[in-house]
Amino acid sequence: MMTLQENKTKIFNQVAQATIEAGRPQNSVTVVAVTKYVDSEVARALVDIGVTHIGENRVDKFLDKYQALKDYDLTWHLIGTLQRRKVKDVINYVDYFHALDSVKLAAEIQKRAEHPVKCFLQVNISGEESKHGFSPEEVEDALAQMADFDKVELVGLMTMAPIAATEKEIADIFSKTNLLRQQLADKKMKYMPFSELSMGMSGDYKIAIQNGSTFVRIGTSFFK
Ligand SMILES: *Cc1c(COP(=O)(O)O)cnc(C)c1O
């Protein structure tokens, strides 16, 4: 059992190292610390050692952490599936929403948000049935339907690799996601900068950084 400080140092060093090895600019990858495994006091301990990006995958736990830590200057990430009926409870505390997976959900965000919310469109590149997200073929039509949503700022794409995938398969999924992001960014649509990629968790963040990820979502490695 290592301390939080040791884990944090190791993760940030490895992310920096992977960024350099990928030939990318320093600090071009943001570490989102996923606190879903721990309570608010452990999350506070992370903040006290310098973590500033906090991620939660469920609305109730997001709100718990937000309430406990709202006096700190943090960036808040909702990384998991969001039901439409819960949008109004949470969306105005969210800086980045990583799991936009339907046009209907985008319409609800448009209706409830008081500020533009930075959103990642979730794509399901592997075609795995259990995964949420748009297939690459659906993306263009969906974007056309979201074109006038000024509260839904589409900063880029988010994806997850299947649990059983090999390193080669994971790299393939991440590189395809980056290619798709680039194609969409080239269209230069309103409210859709598409400059970011949310890819990579504890087990695969190095592969994600090699393939252009700008936000890695790391939980387990902080708390083991
Ligand atoms: C839990 C979770 C993570 C973090 O996964 P670890 O393997 O614990 O690093 C990342 N993204 C999402 C959407 C999650 O739910």
Side-chain angles (χ1 to χ4, degrees), residues 15 20 33 54-55 63 66 77 83 87 93-94 107 117 133 147 149 152 155 161 169 176 208 215 217:
V15 166
I20 291 167
I54 301 288
L63 291 171
Y66 184 85
H77 298 257
Q83 290 173 312
V87 168
Y93 310 114
V94 174
V117 181
F149 293 172
V152 179
V155 294
E169 288 163 345
K176 281 181 176 151
F215 287 82
R217 311 176 311 271

Side-chain angles (χ1 to χ4, degrees), residues 35 40 54 56 59-72 74-77 90 92-95:
T35 51
S40 296
I54 301 288
E56 279 286 337
V59 170
D60 51 350
K61 297 186 83 184
F62 179 100
L63 291 171
D64 284 349
K65 299 289 194 312
Y66 184 85
Q67 204 51 41
L69 302 174
K70 66 177 186 303
D71 294 337
Y72 295 86
L74 302 173
T75 303
W76 289 91
H77 298 257
V90 72
N92 286 308
Y93 310 114
V94 174
D95 296 301

Side-chain angles (χ1 to χ4, degrees), residues 184-202:
L184 298 169
D186 287 345
K187 296 185 193 290
K188 302 197 186 307
M189 288 174 284
K190 226 176 15 167
Y191 316 125
M192 302 185 189
F194 271 109
S195 50
E196 311 298 332
L197 276 176
S198 171
M199 318 190 291
M201 321 200 318
S202 293

